[in-house]
Amino acid sequence: MCNLYTVRKTAAEVAEYFRVPNPIQSNAGPEVYPGTPGTVIIENNGIREMRSMTWGFPLRLKDMKPDAKPKPVNNIADLTKPMWIGLARKPQWRCLIPVTGFAEAEGVKGSMTRTWFSVKSEPVFAWGGLWRVSDEWGPVYSGAMTDANEAVAPVHSRMPVVLYPHEYDLWMHGSLSDLIALQQRKYPAQSILMERTNDLWVAKRQVVSEEPTLL
């Protein structure tokens, strides 16, 4: 799962990297948590746009109280599940999530620390995602996950679907089979940089990191 990532670049730098003509200022912070604002890249009439959206699709569980807030489903375990496949089939609901690094918790429960992963020689990279407009939070997005490569596996069994720059258009315009192939392939471990820290992992909020098995 991925419940924390960073975008330590300005809007102008992100726009230049992703060839977006409209850099926008968002209220998203440099660290992005589930249920909080983040910046994504979508396409509208063939032109890439930066949009500010909430990270996580709102989900109400059957045992939740009527006035309880939905849980943000911020990770996509399987693009072929009913919750996702309808969006995955349609290019207009695909997005690129700008990332400079993603974190996983490591260590003993209660005193876990943040371990960061980034892509070598890439100041920013794209995580393949989907988005939609929700009744609860307006535009929302979630990121596709895949099996961890050898660099991430010592810390967690899953990792974001990291895309090469030449795969950005494939994610945005390819077939459903193309997206599934990208989700199933492993990003090379030699391209990943790991940084262990002493920073405590502090959960900002309760999250649903992957969709329930019934979906």
Side-chain angles (χ1 to χ4, degrees), residues 25 33 36 80 83 109-110 139 156 169:
Q25 295 297 328
Y33 300 88
T36 67
T80 66
M83 184 172 181
K109 187 176 181 180
H156 202 278
D169 283 338

Side-chain angles (χ1 to χ4, degrees), residues 116-163:
W116 289 95
F117 299 92
S118 57
V119 176
K120 294 178 182 177
S121 303
E122 292 289 346
V124 62
F125 57 93
W127 176 10
L130 301 175
W131 74 283
R132 69 175 176 88
V133 180
S134 70
D135 293 332
E136 296 89 347
W137 301 330
V140 295
Y141 69 98
S142 189
M145 302 296 289
T146 187
D147 291 336
N149 60 23
E150 292 81 358
V152 179
V155 181
H156 202 278
S157 61
R158 306 284 282 171
M159 65 178 285
V161 174
V162 178
L163 302 172

Side-chain angles (χ1 to χ4, degrees), residues 36-54:
T36 67
T39 300
V40 301
I41 310 298
I42 69 166
E43 282 201 12
N44 186 16
N45 294 323
I47 299 175
R48 289 183 181 176
E49 296 182 356
M50 292 174 65
R51 296 280 185 90
S52 180
M53 303 183 184
T54 298

Side-chain angles (χ1 to χ4, degrees), residues 30 36 42 65 72 75 78 120 122 137 139 157 160 164 178 184 190 197 209:
T36 67
I42 69 166
K65 295 180 179 179
N75 291 171
D78 185 347
K120 294 178 182 177
E122 292 289 346
W137 301 330
S157 61
Y164 291 103
D178 291 328
Q184 292 177 343
Q190 62 268 26
T197 74
S209 62

Side-chain angles (χ1 to χ4, degrees), residues 9 22 31 42 65 68 78 92 112-113 123 130 133 136 147 151 154 166 170 172 175 178-180 188 198 202 207-208:
K9 294 291 177 183
N22 71 324
E31 293 188 350
I42 69 166
K65 295 180 179 179
D78 185 347
Q92 64 265 37
M112 287 183 155
T113 55
L130 301 175
V133 180
E136 296 89 347
D147 291 336
H166 70 266
L170 181 63
M172 298 295 279
S175 66
D178 291 328
L179 265 63
I180 293 171
N198 293 321
V202 180
V207 301
V208 177

